[in-house]
Amino acid sequence: MSPKHILLIVIVLAIVYTAYDSAFIVGERERVVVVQLGEIIGQDYDPGLHFKVPYVQKVRSFERRVMTFTEEIERVLTSENKNLAVDFYVKWRIRDTVDYYLSTQGDEQRTRSLLTEIVENDLLAEFSKRTIRQAVGDERNEIVAAVQVQANQDAREVGVEITDVRIMRLDLPEEVSESVYERMRSERQEVIRTLRAQGDAAAQEIRSDAERERTIIRATAYSQAQTIRGEGDARAAEIYAEAYQENPTFYSFYRSLELYRNSLGSDDLLLLRPQGELFRYFNPKASDSAPQP
């Protein structure tokens, strides 16, 4: 290849690169500034094709969309000198491209560090005005609203707008949580002991009432039984008297049998003469042939 051909190729390549470096395209999701020797000479171009001076001017592009990051504060001191751990997230976007570039050089990580410091300082200030109960309760939304307003004012200096700040989690530090949980367990145990003592007292009272009622019922039943037994004995005596009046001889014989049965055991032997008075009731013939008095 001749020197003329090489020179021609170099010239063509230089023209192509110059033409390429003279134009830039802005997307709908981008913010663009044109920098010449460290000085911004153009900003906020509309989406589409634009031109610049090649080699001298440089294009820097940034996100137009809302961006999000999350952070954690390990210790936040409340008004009662209690520590809290706070997780939060921040949504932000570029408000002024020139201020943003001058403050951060377009470094997103540096911007995140600046915004984290701003939001953390505002959160610490708001939590220091409130107790744990207030921070966890109804005033949590007030804290977020106040932080967003104050953080937005501070973020304007770096050309950034904070669109939202939210607290994702509020928690006690681990060592504090253990002591809190232990105190809660102790309180629950005390409540359990109190309830158990009240239950035992109620059970003892119920048992006493039941025992007293049982005693009264048994006494009433015994009294009724004695009355019924007395009435039964009286009726039995009346029946015995009526039976005696009907047949005194048989009644005397029956009483003799009862006396023998109660006096003699099963192994005792009793011998009686057949002509005795006892057998007269079992031997009709002997009764008939017996001499009349």
Side-chain angles (χ1 to χ4, degrees):
M1 184 179 293
S2 64
K4 291 183 179 180
H5 290 162
I6 295 175
L7 180 60
L8 181 60
I9 293 173
V10 171
I11 292 173
V12 172
L13 290 175
I15 293 173
V16 171
Y17 182 76
T18 300
Y20 175 78
D21 194 49
S22 299
F24 62 93
I25 298 175
V26 179
E28 294 182 353
R29 300 178 179 179
E30 292 181 311
R31 286 178 175 268
V32 172
V33 294
V34 177
V35 182
Q36 179 177 325
L37 302 177
E39 181 182 355
I40 297 176
I41 61 171
Q43 61 173 325
D44 295 334
Y45 292 88
D46 295 330
L49 180 63
H50 301 272
F51 297 94
K52 66 182 182 61
V53 177
Y55 305 113
V56 179
Q57 297 177 349
K58 303 295 182 183
V59 177
R60 296 294 305 274
S61 62
F62 316 108
E63 281 282 353
R64 184 183 292 271
R65 295 173 297 178
V66 175
M67 290 166 281
T68 305
F69 67 88
T70 60
E71 285 293 339
E72 177 185 1
I73 308 177
E74 294 183 357
R75 289 184 180 275
V76 176
L77 196 64
T78 63
S79 61
E80 51 191 353
N81 294 325
K82 301 294 185 180
N83 291 320
L84 284 174
V86 181
D87 290 350
F88 65 93
Y89 74 81
V90 177
K91 291 182 177 293
W92 65 280
R93 64 185 174 189
I94 299 172
R95 177 177 176 273
D96 188 295
T97 312
V98 175
D99 290 342
Y100 176 72
Y101 179 75
L102 294 177
S103 301
T104 65
Q105 297 300 308
D107 187 348
E108 186 176 328
Q109 186 61 40
R110 183 177 179 184
T111 305
R112 175 174 172 173
S113 298
L114 290 173
L115 294 179
T116 299
E117 182 178 357
I118 291 172
V119 174
E120 282 186 357
N121 290 336
D122 293 337
L123 282 172
L124 291 172
E126 291 298 325
F127 274 103
S128 65
K129 303 174 185 177
R130 295 170 173 83
T131 63
I132 290 181
R133 186 178 297 275
Q134 292 172 335
V136 176
D138 297 336
E139 296 190 19
R140 181 170 177 173
N141 293 333
E142 296 180 8
I143 294 174
V144 171
V147 168
Q148 183 171 344
V149 171
Q150 185 60 43
N152 242 328
Q153 295 177 357
D154 298 334
R156 290 177 182 271
E157 299 178 3
V158 295
V160 171
E161 176 188 3
I162 296 178
T163 62
D164 195 11
V165 176
R166 294 295 175 192
I167 296 174
M168 298 184 295
R169 182 179 64 90
L170 281 175
D171 201 358
L172 296 171
E174 185 175 353
E175 62 274 11
V176 179
S177 298
E178 289 298 327
S179 62
V180 171
Y181 293 151
E182 184 61 32
R183 185 172 67 252
M184 291 174 63
R185 282 193 291 268
S186 300
E187 292 175 354
R188 293 298 92 192
Q189 291 295 331
E190 183 64 28
V191 172
I192 290 172
R193 285 193 291 269
T194 301
L195 293 176
R196 183 176 289 121
Q198 294 175 353
D200 292 341
Q204 184 61 37
E205 183 178 355
I206 292 172
R207 283 193 292 268
S208 299
D209 292 341
E211 183 66 24
R212 182 171 58 254
E213 187 174 352
R214 184 178 73 92
T215 303
I216 294 173
I217 292 173
R218 291 186 63 181
T220 303
Y222 180 78
S223 177
Q224 293 176 352
Q226 289 297 108
T227 301
I228 294 171
R229 184 178 290 111
E231 293 175 352
D233 291 342
R235 180 56 181 162
E238 183 179 350
I239 293 172
Y240 288 149
E242 293 176 354
Y244 179 78
Q245 293 296 330
E246 289 290 334
N247 194 341
T249 304
F250 177 78
Y251 182 76
S252 298
F253 169 71
Y254 176 76
R255 296 294 293 174
S256 299
L257 289 179
E258 286 291 326
L259 179 61
Y260 293 148
R261 184 177 63 183
N262 295 330
S263 300
L264 300 176
S266 59
D267 296 332
D268 294 333
L269 179 61
L270 177 64
L271 296 178
L272 297 174
R273 291 184 305 165
Q275 291 79 11
E277 183 68 21
L278 179 61
F279 289 95
R280 188 167 60 87
Y281 295 95
F282 300 97
N283 190 355
K285 296 180 178 181
S287 179
D288 295 337
S289 62
Q292 296 297 326

